[in-house]
Structures are given as structure tokens and as C-alpha cells.
Amino acid sequence: MAASQDWMSKDFYVALGLKKDATEAEIKKAYNTYARKYHPDRNPGDKEAEEKFKAASEAYQVLSNAEDRKQYDAIRSMAGGGARFSPGAGGFEDIFSNFGGGNVRFTTNGANPGFEDILSQMFGQGAPQANSQGGYGFFGSRRRPQRGADVETSISIPLRQAVDGTTVTVTSNGEKVTAKTPAGIANGQKIRIKGKGGLGQNGGERGDVLVKVAVEPHPVYELDGRDVYVNVPVSFDEAALGATIEVPTLEGNTVKVKVPAGSSSDKVMRVRGKGLARHHGPKGDMYVRLKVVVPKRLSEEARAVVEQFRDVTADADPRRDFAQMAKI
């Protein structure tokens, strides 16, 4: 990025909430925080948030580049943190309170100087020289193209779309961009949209957009990476005596699962290959978690049978060793 007269009046460190000795990592972290907080997608119609987002983006473009940051710091230091321009009898003057131990006057015989003209008087042949991109490099240096910053955003999709794949739309730099999510995308997985991120500098390519995908909660299924857990209600007799039940899968069909006799709530059984699809390799697995359901109301006949069951199983105390196990 070419040195700009605006640099004298803009405090890029303040724009990102940083100290002047901030490290590269601190600069990147601050930018990501501000970009997420003030991104137009999260603040639709909020002009103040939009301006803060733009200011943070501009500040990051300068401070994330070592050469630009060096130039910026030098200019701000010479200007004492801010420039004062006034038209005088001899033309245009710029007063740098910290340059050369005193004030320096620049005149152009009444003409209106550009920023590069002022720097030319300051540094002579070391002033900015035009580069191939039409900008100016500081102290005669030619600037290298710099890739734009990556932009991070997030989006949520229903489980059905995560299983089948879908097309999502996000906004980057005020521009709507779309991307396809692959079938079987996992919760928290990121997709990359190439060349739609921050603008490059000095002819550099644009950065990318990184979209973090959150899969919305489902009343039956729970995702764990590529595996899926499904809570299946079973009756008391099915859990006690054993049974074969049908369990729905993500694919829309059902599979038969054998419930062993004497099963309790939260017993888990694995069904291989019925989880989320992978780009390469086998699918994840489905884990069936049993939930024993006890009737809230019993008929007199059912109650009598349960009481009889209680009497004949009086020696089977489910909490026999519980008190001992609970000691700490």
C-alpha cells in the first residue's frame, strides 16, 4: 500500500485497540475480533458498526505489512501523532513538531502539493517513486504484491442440509458470495471460498473467506464428528426381556437393532456405516442409545403385575454397592 496523507490523521493502533509495540500475532487477533464484532452481516443497517469494520480493515492492511507499518510509524512520529496543514502567504506548509528537533516548513510557491511532493522536499531523491501499480513506495522502494487477509464468518444449517449438502450465502466486503457445503459436513467444520476475502495490496490477490459451519441441534440425532447418536425409547418389557426394534437412520430408512435382555437406560449399541459420509473413506457410525420409558399411569391390573414383579425380585437390589462406590 502506498504511503497516504491520511496516515498522518489516522491512528491505526487505536482503530484496533492496540499499543504501538503490538506483535504481529496481537495485530491479527485484534483484527479478527473487530471483524467478527462489527461485520455488516452481524450488524445490518448499523452505520457505526460498518465504519468501525472499515477502519479496522484499513488499519490491519497497513499494520500487518512490516514495510507499511514501518513507514506509517515513521510518518506518525515525524508528525507528532497528527499533521497540521495551513495555506500561508508562500503557499502550503506542513509542520512536523518532532522532525529535526523543531518545526519544518514546506512551500510550493503557491501550488497545492501532493503528499509525495512534501516527502520529496523532506527526503530528496529518497522520496516515494512511482511503481508499476501506479502507487508510491517509500524511500524509493518498489512494493511487492501482498495477498489480502482471509475473512472468517460463520453460518448454521439444519441437520438435513448437513447430511445432503447445500448452498450457503455469506457477505464479504459488502459482496454476497455463495459456496457449496459437501454432503456429510460435520459440526464446526470450515469451508474455504477462494479469492473472496480481503482485497490485496499492490496488485496482490484477494484473500479467502473461511466459513465455519454449525449444524443446528436436532430433537433425535446428536453429531459427534462423523458419528451420530440417536436416543431410542424402549418399553420396560423390551429392556427387561430383550427385543428387536427398528431405528431410523440419517438416510431416511430404518435398520433393525437387537436389544439385549436386561438392558438399562443409556446402554449404547453401534451400527456401523450409518453416520455421516466422508469425502474419502467409509462413513461414520450410528450409536443407538436406549432410553427406558416407564408408563406414567398404570391400570389396576398392570399395577398388580408390577407389584408381583417387585415381590419376586426383592433380592435384586440395584443399589447394593452404590453407597460404597459413592464414598470419597
Side-chain angles (χ1 to χ4, degrees):
M1 176 179 290
S4 169
Q5 182 173 318
D6 290 345
W7 288 7
M8 295 185 178
S9 59
K10 293 182 178 180
D11 193 328
F12 293 145
Y13 293 101
V14 170
L16 291 175
L18 294 168
K19 295 181 179 179
K20 291 184 179 180
D21 59 352
T23 65
E24 291 183 13
E26 289 172 336
I27 292 171
K28 184 174 182 180
K29 181 179 180 181
Y31 169 71
N32 287 334
T33 299
Y34 274 66
R36 284 193 297 268
K37 183 176 181 180
Y38 298 112
H39 196 282
D41 284 353
R42 294 191 175 187
N43 304 275
D46 189 334
K47 293 296 183 183
E48 182 179 353
E50 182 180 352
E51 290 302 318
K52 289 184 178 180
F53 177 76
K54 290 180 179 178
S57 298
E58 182 183 9
Y60 180 71
Q61 284 189 345
V62 174
L63 299 183
S64 63
N65 181 287
E67 293 185 23
D68 283 346
R69 184 181 181 183
K70 184 177 181 180
Q71 295 175 23
Y72 172 74
D73 287 343
I75 292 173
R76 290 279 297 178
S77 176
M78 290 185 293
R84 298 187 299 275
F85 295 100
S86 61
F92 191 93
E93 68 176 22
D94 176 15
I95 304 175
F96 288 87
S97 59
N98 292 330
F99 181 71
N103 294 335
V104 179
R105 180 186 300 268
F106 297 92
T107 60
T108 57
N109 298 322
N112 291 324
F115 185 60
E116 61 274 12
D117 295 326
I118 298 174
L119 293 179
S120 179
Q121 292 190 46
M122 291 170 58
F123 300 106
Q125 297 302 316
Q129 305 296 317
N131 59 27
S132 59
Q133 284 77 35
Y136 287 84
F138 204 58
F139 301 118
S141 64
R142 289 186 178 271
R143 305 307 315 283
R144 294 180 179 178
Q146 183 181 358
R147 181 179 179 276
D150 290 339
V151 175
E152 296 185 2
T153 187
S154 60
I155 196 169
S156 63
I157 60 176
L159 178 60
R160 182 77 266 158
Q161 293 181 358
V163 173
D164 297 337
T166 187
T167 299
V168 297
T169 301
V170 297
T171 302
S172 174
N173 296 316
E175 173 188 3
K176 288 188 175 182
V177 294
T178 60
K180 290 184 177 180
T181 62
I185 192 167
N187 185 48
Q189 186 175 339
K190 292 182 179 181
I191 57 175
R192 182 181 295 270
I193 307 176
K194 286 243 177 237
K196 296 297 183 178
L199 299 176
Q201 303 175 31
N202 306 308
E205 64 181 10
R206 290 183 64 168
D208 300 334
V209 176
L210 302 177
V211 184
K212 185 176 183 180
V213 179
V215 180
E216 298 169 0
H218 190 274
V220 172
Y221 299 104
E222 301 171 15
L223 296 182
D224 183 8
R226 297 291 176 181
D227 297 328
V228 59
Y229 285 76
V230 54
N231 295 324
V232 180
V234 294
S235 64
F236 171 76
D237 63 282
E238 288 175 328
L241 304 176
T244 298
I245 61 176
E246 290 192 347
V247 180
T249 71
L250 294 176
E251 299 167 349
N253 54 14
T254 60
V255 293
K256 291 184 177 181
V257 177
K258 187 175 181 180
V259 178
S263 294
S264 301
S265 276
D266 292 328
K267 180 178 179 61
V268 176
M269 296 163 292
R270 181 167 66 174
V271 182
R272 295 183 182 275
K274 293 300 180 180
L276 290 176
R278 285 182 170 91
H279 252 320
H280 303 288
K283 291 183 176 181
D285 297 328
M286 180 171 73
Y287 290 86
V288 178
R289 185 189 293 121
L290 300 181
K291 295 293 182 181
V292 180
V293 179
V294 178
K296 293 183 178 180
R297 294 183 179 180
L298 294 174
S299 66
E300 290 186 6
E301 182 181 3
R303 178 178 291 276
V305 172
V306 173
E307 289 174 348
Q308 183 181 2
F309 172 79
R310 178 194 62 194
D311 294 339
V312 299
T313 59
D315 293 337
D317 184 0
R319 296 178 296 279
R320 187 187 308 275
D321 301 321
F322 183 70
Q324 183 65 31
M325 295 171 59
K327 290 183 178 180
I328 58 175

